[in-house]
Amino acid sequence: MSADTGRRTANDTSAPPALIYVIEDDADVAKLVLAALRDFGFACEVFATGGAVLRRLQFEKPDLCIVDLGLPDMDGIDLMRRITAGSSSGVLILTGRGHTADRVMGLELGGDDYVTKPFESRELVARVRSILRRRSLASGTSTGQRRYASFLGWRIDCAANVLRAPDGTEHLLGTAETQVLRCFVERPHQILTREQLMGERDLLPTDRSIDVRISRLRRKIEADAHDPLIIKTVYGAGYLFAADVSWE
């Protein structure tokens, strides 16, 4: 394991840099990722195995983990599942596996984004910054952000990423899920585009990340996820949250 605190950008002097764990056993790829992140002022630590990062997570929680799926000691999907279960850290999957099944599984299990190798350093940094921006919004750290929203007996704590069901059961949401649900509860009864829900202006038509996140949310809050009454699809336009919302 190696650590590199990087340098801050000129406009990032008021807060400590975001801490990013890079879990990658290929030293050359790790160096490339580290150099790209360091140039944008991120604090980084590199781990070559899943076991090493799991031991470190017992004492420190990063803002984001960049996970390679092909690790020598465990499958990256299993590692990602354990990271998201034990912390609110964002997860970006960086791998040579380009199969749709791997992509869908990674997103289904809580991944915020999926980048395949080879990759452009600028695109990687842009995706990292997008995840951190969504995470910041979902945690309620921005000025004037409201924390608790209630609808149809459900209650979401936007700062803790916790969704409580009418029967009291609590679900720990991923950062991306929380951001999407927050978009909905902030603008109920409005049609929201996929770009609005993802927080990105130039979303590719082939990017199905939002559809995966909507599917996960429906399985949690809908009586029948295949016939949704709360999160409705407006074909050709986007999605609509069909419930009244109160804030506290």
Side-chain angles (χ1 to χ4, degrees), residues 157-213:
D157 181 340
C158 296
N161 290 14
V162 173
L163 178 66
R164 190 176 68 195
D167 65 2
T169 303
E170 292 190 343
H171 305 271
L172 180 62
L173 302 181
T175 301
E177 284 179 288
T178 302
Q179 171 60 14
V180 172
L181 185 53
R182 177 157 196 141
C183 285
F184 279 131
V185 297
E186 286 184 335
R187 287 173 283 185
H189 306 294
Q190 297 182 37
I191 297 174
L192 301 177
T193 66
R194 296 166 69 249
E195 289 78 10
Q196 286 175 305
L197 292 168
M198 286 290 289
E200 299 181 20
R201 293 181 178 179
D202 301 319
L203 196 63
L204 294 175
T206 55
D207 192 326
R208 313 314 300 176
S209 301
I210 187 60
D211 304 306
V212 173
R213 292 162 194 175

Side-chain angles (χ1 to χ4, degrees), residues 218-233:
R218 281 174 170 164
R219 287 200 297 269
K220 290 181 173 70
I221 68 175
E222 299 280 3
D224 182 355
H226 300 290
D227 184 22
L229 300 177
I230 303 173
I231 302 177
K232 296 185 175 182
T233 300

Side-chain angles (χ1 to χ4, degrees), residues 6-9 34-42:
R7 63 175 186 273
R8 297 185 192 179
T9 54
L34 184 63
L37 295 173
R38 182 179 58 205
D39 284 344
F40 283 84
F42 294 110

